[in-house]
Amino acid sequence: MKARLVTLKNDNDMKRKVYFLSQCLAAMSLLMTTSCQSDENVTAQEHRVEITTVIASNATRVAYDGKKAEFEANDKLEVIGVPTGTTDLTTLPSGSMKSDFQFNGTTWTSDSRMVWDTDDTLYDFYGVYPCQTNYVAAIQGNNAHDDVMFAKTTGLSYNNSGGKVTLAFSHAMAKLVVNISKLRDEIASNASLTVNVKAKSLFDIDIYNQKVMAKGNTSSIRLQELTPRESYATLLPSQDGVTTITINDGTKDYTWLSSTAIPLSPNKITTVTLSVGNDHILIATVNVLPWNDDEISNNGEQAEN
């Protein structure tokens, strides 16, 4: 019995030793694995996307101010990166990146990481300003809404770009300016004028094709006053054109009805000069010009998360 007890004791000791040894080996294996993973985390560099923006310097982002077209603090834009050749942006394919960026006055920071998949994977990048889902014409009455600008650059990889993506934004909206060259004598010199155009103000956006699509019914849209009794403006989605502009002096409407629609084209400024006669409006000139092409840059990169 003693021999058997001794044998059992020795077996247990051996089992304990084997168990202890296996635990040590497991611990060593875990430490080695953790160490390797840690080393990998340290050595494997994530190459993040850096965003630079460029917009036209003299094209105002809202129709009624005279400021340069600079992005301002708290402006937001959406950036989408998809494998080169992707044509459907409604359902993004595997390997795509998407993030909202906010400008702090100096740099762009994102709400999620945008990382190059591999150093040589080619991407097409799309930008849209502003970052939102429901769009309406830039000016209604005295309330400023949103301009819309698009940007697109294709065939970029980390290797051929150094991780930097420049998005050159252009205006997708049409700008309408109404200038008044002459007022009838009966209009009081201190009368405050309002100018309205009948047009569509709601629209959808197509990021891939870089365009806005007017929708809904036409309505009377009040233009923003630039210079009292002289100049008024608004931004509208491009559409076939407008035929009705009304000037009101507080007591009477003076309406211009055109037999030929004035086109409103993307990234163009349509200027209509009118004179107010005794009982109607006489049109003087209509000019359609591109928005200014001069450029300035605001640089930004994705912040660490």
Side-chain angles (χ1 to χ4, degrees):
M1 291 294 294
K2 288 182 180 179
R4 187 175 180 181
L5 286 172
V6 171
T7 300
L8 290 172
K9 184 177 181 181
N10 289 339
D11 286 343
N12 288 336
D13 287 343
M14 285 298 293
K15 289 177 180 178
R16 282 195 292 270
K17 290 177 181 178
V18 171
Y19 176 75
F20 177 72
L21 179 60
S22 66
Q23 290 291 89
C24 288
L25 290 173
M28 290 175 65
S29 175
L30 179 61
L31 287 173
M32 292 175 66
T33 301
T34 303
S35 176
C36 290
Q37 290 177 341
S38 178
D39 288 343
E40 289 176 357
N41 288 336
V42 171
T43 58
Q45 293 290 326
E46 279 188 338
H47 293 144
R48 301 191 179 188
V49 176
E50 299 179 11
I51 298 297
T52 298
T53 57
V54 180
I55 52 179
S57 64
N58 292 326
T60 54
R61 287 192 297 105
V62 288
Y64 62 89
D65 66 17
K67 297 181 296 183
K68 289 183 178 180
E70 296 176 322
F71 285 111
E72 300 174 338
N74 299 318
D75 275 348
K76 293 182 180 180
L77 58 85
E78 181 178 77
V79 177
I80 300 172
V82 294
T84 290
T86 301
T87 58
D88 183 4
L89 301 185
T90 57
T91 303
L92 300 182
S94 175
S96 299
M97 14 179 179
K98 181 178 180 180
S99 185
D100 296 342
F101 283 77
Q102 181 166 324
F103 194 57
N104 64 12
T106 305
T107 59
W108 291 99
T109 56
S110 65
D111 62 0
S112 60
R113 299 189 306 175
M114 291 188 74
V115 180
W116 298 94
D117 188 23
T118 66
D119 289 356
D120 56 1
T121 300
L122 293 177
Y123 280 92
D124 297 338
F125 287 90
Y126 299 83
V128 58
Y129 170 88
C131 179
Q132 65 181 51
T133 55
N134 297 315
Y135 293 91
V136 68
I139 305 297
Q140 288 191 358
N142 293 318
N143 298 318
H145 291 281
D146 292 300
D147 186 3
V148 174
M149 295 188 291
F150 290 118
K152 177 181 179 180
T153 185
T154 61
L156 296 184
S157 68
Y158 177 80
N159 283 339
N160 69 21
S161 69
K164 299 181 185 299
V165 176
T166 298
L167 293 173
F169 282 85
S170 61
H171 293 269
M173 301 288 277
K175 183 176 180 179
L176 174 65
V177 177
V178 175
N179 292 328
I180 301 174
S181 63
K182 180 182 178 181
L183 292 172
R184 58 175 294 189
D185 295 337
E186 287 78 4
I187 296 179
S189 60
N190 61 349
S192 178
L193 303 182
T194 59
V195 178
N196 291 269
V197 60
K198 192 171 183 180
K200 294 180 180 180
S201 62
L202 299 178
F203 56 94
D204 292 323
I205 66 170
D206 180 346
I207 298 176
Y208 178 76
N209 291 304
Q210 308 276 281
K211 65 180 182 179
V212 298
M213 298 158 291
K215 66 178 183 180
N217 298 321
T218 59
S219 60
S220 182
I221 300 169
R222 180 178 171 183
L223 279 63
Q224 181 69 31
E225 181 182 87
L226 299 179
T227 303
R229 300 165 63 88
E230 292 183 11
S231 187
Y232 302 78
T234 188
L235 299 183
L236 292 166
S238 58
Q239 48 198 282
D240 292 338
V242 298
T243 59
T244 305
I245 296 175
T246 301
I247 298 173
N248 183 278
D249 65 357
T251 61
K252 182 179 179 180
D253 284 339
Y254 300 87
T255 301
W256 171 70
L257 296 174
S258 175
S259 58
T260 303
I262 296 174
L264 297 178
S265 302
N267 203 22
K268 298 289 181 65
I269 300 175
T270 298
T271 302
V272 180
T273 302
L274 304 171
S275 62
V276 179
N278 290 333
D279 55 3
H280 63 283
I281 292 178
L282 303 174
I283 187 168
T285 59
V286 176
N287 291 316
V288 180
L289 298 171
W291 290 40
N292 192 287
D293 291 329
D294 293 338
E295 293 182 344
I296 57 171
S297 294
N298 287 320
N299 297 321
E301 63 182 12
Q302 184 168 355
E304 297 290 334
N305 289 328

